[in-house]
Amino acid sequence: MQLVVERVRADPSAHVDVVEAAAQAVVQLLDDERARTGEWAAEVRHWREGWIRKVVRRADGARWEAVQELPGVTVAHGSARVRAFVPGPLSPLPKALGKLQVGGTEFPREKGSSADGARVDVEITPLAELSSGKTAAQAGHAAQLLYEQMDEAAREAWRADGFAVRASVPAESDWAEPGEAVRVIDAGLTEVDGPTETARARLRA
């Protein structure tokens, strides 16, 4: 699954808004009727049955507008806009996506989350330095895993909230106690060395 973050050079989005918007976009796409039973269902099912990978790219100006024509879901959250696309092969990519950069996707980190009322917490590991792009991908994966294990009543309540999440980096002592959270173990292809727990998601108490 490709995700694209809008980048406005003169007024960049906040890192935490990007991460939260990415998680929302992933789940909104999976919950979309077109992904569940409609025209996107075959592609989404094939992806979920195989290697569930997410790649985050960035786009500005005309390139951001161009990717809106590709099948997917765009989420606006705080200062950020992120579009999740219907999963497909890594090669060849649609030309509008293939032009976009992956590495070095970084956004300012001064701001904390404003999503205090969200039903879901997404925690990012405090034990590794992850770029904004990598963090967004891991948050999206954690939110997906939680969505997939929920019963329909819990999904409906989260759906009514737009699948909002609150992202944070816990203290190392808190990270040592995962509790009942779903856990993402990244394969270690980029930014981390070998299999690494990168993110967790849980319903807020």
Side-chain angles (χ1 to χ4, degrees):
M1 177 186 286
Q2 303 288 323
L3 295 99
V4 174
V5 182
E6 181 185 30
R7 181 180 63 175
V8 180
R9 292 177 185 272
D11 186 21
S13 303
H15 167 88
V16 69
D17 289 346
V18 169
V19 171
E20 291 171 350
Q24 282 185 259
V26 169
V27 181
Q28 285 194 20
L29 187 146
L30 294 175
D31 191 68
D32 193 292
E33 192 61 36
R34 290 167 291 181
R36 291 190 290 162
T37 61
E39 65 217 61
W40 301 345
E43 289 92 335
V44 170
R45 184 170 56 251
H46 178 76
W47 175 69
R48 290 169 74 176
E49 290 173 351
W51 186 16
I52 301 177
R53 186 181 183 191
K54 297 176 180 69
V55 178
V56 176
R57 301 171 184 270
R58 60 187 185 273
D60 50 17
R63 290 189 172 183
W64 169 255
E65 297 303 326
V67 297
Q68 303 307 304
E69 302 299 319
L70 300 174
V73 172
T74 295
V75 165
H77 167 70
S79 60
R81 289 200 292 178
V82 177
R83 186 168 180 83
F85 298 88
V86 177
L90 284 173
S91 180
L93 284 173
K95 184 179 293 187
L97 283 175
K99 292 178 179 179
L100 305 180
Q101 291 184 310
V102 178
T105 298
E106 190 60 50
F107 292 86
R109 299 182 183 239
E110 292 81 7
K111 177 179 177 289
S113 176
S114 59
D116 290 335
R119 292 179 175 272
V120 168
D121 276 325
V122 171
E123 298 173 348
I124 305 300
T125 177
L127 306 180
E129 293 290 334
L130 305 179
S131 69
S132 296
K134 180 76 170 182
T135 305
Q138 302 308 296
H141 199 148
Q144 175 183 348
L145 293 178
L146 185 63
Y147 170 83
E148 291 182 342
Q149 76 166 28
M150 282 179 168
D151 61 34
E152 190 51 40
R155 282 185 185 176
E156 182 56 39
W158 196 18
R159 184 180 296 124
D161 194 28
F163 297 109
V165 308
R166 182 182 185 279
S168 64
V169 179
E172 291 186 19
S173 57
D174 293 329
W175 183 256
E177 300 293 337
E180 297 182 357
V182 297
R183 305 165 73 182
V184 176
I185 308 300
D186 186 76
L189 295 180
T190 60
E191 298 193 25
V192 294
D193 295 326
T196 302
E197 185 176 6
T198 53
R200 298 172 182 162
R202 72 182 85 230
L203 281 169
R204 302 187 78 181

